[in-house]
Amino acid sequence: MTFQPYDRPVRAAFIGLGRIYDLNVLAYVDNPDVEVVALVDPSEERRAQRQADWPGARAFASAAELASSGIEVDAVEALLPVQLHADGVVELLGYGWHVNLQKPMCNDLREAERMLAAARGNDKILRVMENYLFYEPLRRLKDTVAAGEIGDVCSYHIKMVGSTYGGWDVPISSWLWQWEQMKRGRGIMVFDDGWHKLATAIWLFGPIREVRAWIGTTSVGPEVDLDAPTTICWEHESGVRGVWDVTVAMDMYLRSDYYTNDERWEVTGRRGYARVNRCTGRGIQQPSLEVYRDGEMRGYHALDDDWGSSFLASGRHWLRWLHTGDGPLLWSGDEAVDVLRFALAGYASSAGGGVGVNPKEVT
Ligand SMILES: NC(=O)c1ccc[n+]([C@@H]2O[C@H](COP(=O)([O-])OP(=O)(O)OC[C@H]3O[C@@H](n4cnc5c(N)ncnc54)[C@H](O)[C@@H]3O)[C@@H](O)[C@H]2O)c1
């Protein structure tokens, strides 16, 4: 890469103006690092709605129209349905734009290779954003563990419960492509939202050498099968083991400003444990991080535990990075492939009856 940091505001465009735009946009508001010059979405309704945020930006129905408009663009925020990620990213990189892509990166390794090749071929940066790595309680959990506060790590547990009542509205159009993904074996629990949990595992404890999975099914409507109950466990190259249980609780009310997702991360060390009690939703109304050691519990009451803030921090990290080129992208395209391999190893294991699969060996 011959990346040259910008010494002026980055000229940016949003490609896809749907549900998650509401959070991705946070990093762009009142940020002198960036100037939003264009908005792209085939939906006229979405264009009109988002134009109100950026009256000075031009709106287009397609990226091709933007590319031929003469408007100069340096980087784009790609917020597309997952099925469009591979072709979309190859197209966007081909126009000479750096790309900040929403997760999951794509559905399989062949698509990932095409995307990485397009980044190399066009000498542009492909980042696959991972907002969970910017959620302050998780960052503090990582620091707490790394500082040795709970002793050497023995193992850890991630919990995730999806419910349907209590969060923000998700339009039917946002669900339709998710249902297509489910039919292709890339479910919303394990693959779409689950991508974050797998990403945090790698971020916390490093590369994975073996995955064992039991992926279940819950039918919630005609031709709509959710990929839970699911249990996935794994061993890192360090020897630390993790386990993640995924549950659907269709009738549970969960207070949330966003999606109805009750999540926890609990790391057990030789002397104590550290637990993040919630993330997307507001399940447990305790401090968002608690650390137990030597008979005493410490609660962190003043962390920024608004899940939306993780998008703001992730987006600002990207826009600052474009001005420095310094430090990790969180994630680079290559690192995102490690997350994809982790998920694919889970599918291969479950299909094989729970056998151990090395993510490096999935094809
Ligand atoms: N980080 C997170 O926690 C998180 C949460 C939700 C969604 N996401 C991810 O964000 C992405 C988008 O999800 P969403 O929920 O906003 O979906 P959405 O369906 O609400 O929005 C997608 C938008 O893309 C538009 N679109 C379709 N084809 C297009 C094209 N060719 N060019 C430009 N725009 C096009 C659609 O009209 C729609 O407005 C997905 O990858 C999803 O997995 C991430």
Side-chain angles (χ1 to χ4, degrees):
M1 287 285 164
T2 53
F3 175 72
Q4 287 296 325
Y6 294 89
D7 58 3
R8 54 164 172 76
V10 171
R11 297 165 299 197
F14 285 91
I15 313 293
L17 306 172
R19 178 70 272 196
I20 210 59
Y21 163 95
D22 288 287
L23 294 179
N24 278 75
V25 75
L26 296 175
Y28 288 74
V29 176
D30 296 330
N31 185 348
D33 281 341
V34 67
E35 179 192 359
V36 175
V37 295
L39 305 168
V40 176
D41 198 299
S43 159
E44 198 176 341
E45 192 184 342
R46 281 298 193 199
R47 293 199 302 275
Q49 179 191 18
R50 308 313 191 182
Q51 184 82 70
D53 296 339
W54 308 103
R58 291 260 311 275
F60 299 89
S62 71
E65 285 177 33
L66 166 59
S68 59
S69 70
I71 293 178
E72 299 278 345
V73 174
D74 303 307
V76 297
E77 193 78 7
L79 311 176
L80 297 165
V82 178
Q83 295 91 326
L84 304 184
H85 280 193
D87 287 346
V89 163
V90 169
E91 180 187 355
L92 299 170
L93 290 164
Y95 295 136
W97 304 331
H98 301 296
V99 175
N100 188 38
L101 175 70
Q102 259 289 2
K103 46 49 64 178
M105 180 181 190
C106 54
N107 282 330
D108 58 46
L109 288 171
R110 194 173 299 166
E111 287 185 340
E113 276 158 23
R114 276 206 295 131
M115 295 159 87
L116 294 181
R120 281 193 304 272
N122 292 289
D123 203 19
K124 291 289 170 269
I125 307 291
L126 170 60
R127 177 188 192 230
V128 183
M129 61 159 283
E130 182 45 78
N131 55 291
Y132 276 56
L133 311 188
F134 293 84
Y135 183 60
E136 192 178 4
L138 281 172
R139 292 181 83 98
R140 194 61 75 91
L141 171 81
K142 190 178 195 308
D143 292 346
T144 299
V145 170
E149 287 189 41
I150 58 171
D152 289 343
V153 173
C154 305
S155 66
Y156 66 105
H157 171 219
I158 305 176
K159 179 180 171 71
M160 167 176 164
V161 180
S163 76
T164 46
Y165 301 117
W168 65 0
D169 289 334
V170 179
I172 189 74
S173 54
S174 311
W175 289 115
L176 290 177
W177 61 262
Q178 288 284 5
W179 290 336
E180 289 307 313
Q181 282 284 97
M182 292 174 203
K183 288 181 202 158
R184 294 171 65 176
R186 296 289 181 267
I188 194 166
M189 305 293 286
V190 172
F191 193 71
D192 190 275
D193 200 330
W195 180 278
H196 297 297
K197 319 302 135 74
L198 303 177
T200 58
I202 294 175
W203 173 69
L204 284 166
F205 298 114
I208 312 262
R209 68 177 165 213
E210 185 170 327
V211 182
R212 291 171 186 256
W214 188 11
I215 300 176
T217 301
T218 302
S219 180
V220 295
E223 289 195 70
V224 183
D225 294 326
L226 295 180
D227 44 346
T230 284
T231 308
I232 302 181
C233 47
W234 55 85
E235 189 170 79
H236 292 265
E237 286 177 4
S238 65
V240 168
R241 286 192 184 181
V243 58
W244 172 35
D245 68 85
V246 186
T247 305
V248 176
M250 288 301 284
D251 301 326
M252 187 169 84
Y253 171 80
L254 177 68
R255 185 177 165 214
S256 177
D257 299 320
Y258 311 106
Y259 302 94
T260 44
N261 190 355
D262 191 21
E263 299 152 298
R264 294 189 246 314
W265 286 253
E266 180 165 335
V267 182
T268 304
R270 287 179 59 122
R271 287 190 71 175
Y273 64 84
R275 185 176 64 226
V276 169
N277 283 320
R278 61 177 180 277
C279 185
T280 310
R282 301 199 197 191
I284 295 184
Q285 301 286 306
Q286 304 290 339
S288 48
L289 173 64
E290 293 179 301
V291 180
Y292 171 85
R293 175 175 147 165
D294 299 337
E296 291 180 358
M297 186 74 107
R298 185 146 45 98
Y300 287 77
H301 291 260
L303 301 180
D304 183 352
D305 50 23
D306 180 345
W307 185 62
S309 297
S310 66
F311 286 80
L312 189 150
S314 168
R316 286 197 169 237
H317 177 83
W318 162 243
L319 296 168
R320 191 88 283 274
W321 192 95
L322 290 172
H323 287 81
T324 64
D326 286 341
L329 278 166
L330 298 173
W331 303 105
S332 66
D334 287 320
E335 288 167 316
V337 174
D338 291 338
V339 182
L340 177 63
R341 283 186 169 278
F342 191 175
L344 296 179
Y347 288 122
S349 169
S350 188
V355 291
V357 175
N358 182 341
K360 290 195 177 67
E361 290 169 9
V362 292
T363 51

